[in-house]
Amino acid sequence: MKKRVIDFAAFYAPDAVMAVLNRAFSKAGMNVTATVLQLFYLARSPEVPLWAKTAIFAALGYFVVTPDAIPDVAPVLGFTDDLAVLASALTGVASYVTPEMRHKVRERLQGWFGKSAEEVVLVDETPLALQDRSADA
């Protein structure tokens, strides 16, 4: 399993991630785009440890690789495998996402998607309705 992570990590390159994201974001939707952007900014942060960057590079490398488990051209399902890999990686490194990173992601999303980008919940941004429920527990 470790070898597979290393294999995909080799495909990570900042320019490649942004090129695929620019081509695919309209098909992928805001959730995939937001997840990729959060991982992208984490990968560029000097505060993120090497073990976390390895997971990030592997997930972004998987996103960049064209032949994946479910082809991205398949309607609806195409980005399902990408989102699963990306979301798993983000969950594992979420504690390293800073408010500044969330701000950069939000700005980029608004530039691409307009006002509708405000609906996307970024990591560590629990909706108020969920916060209220957890306080009652």
Side-chain angles (χ1 to χ4, degrees), residues 40-84:
F40 179 78
Y41 289 122
L42 282 165
R44 299 174 61 102
S45 172
E47 285 82 36
V48 175
L50 183 59
W51 71 263
K53 285 188 178 188
T54 301
I56 294 166
F57 295 154
L60 291 174
Y62 184 85
F63 177 70
V64 170
V65 172
T66 303
D68 50 20
I70 302 171
D72 295 338
V73 294
V76 182
L77 297 176
F79 287 96
T80 305
D81 61 320
D82 296 283
L83 184 56

Side-chain angles (χ1 to χ4, degrees), residues 81-106:
D81 61 320
D82 296 283
L83 184 56
V85 170
L86 295 166
S88 295
L90 185 57
T91 298
V93 298
S95 62
Y96 295 100
V97 176
T98 65
E100 293 81 18
M101 287 178 198
R102 284 193 293 278
H103 180 72
K104 286 181 186 179
V105 170
R106 185 75 60 203

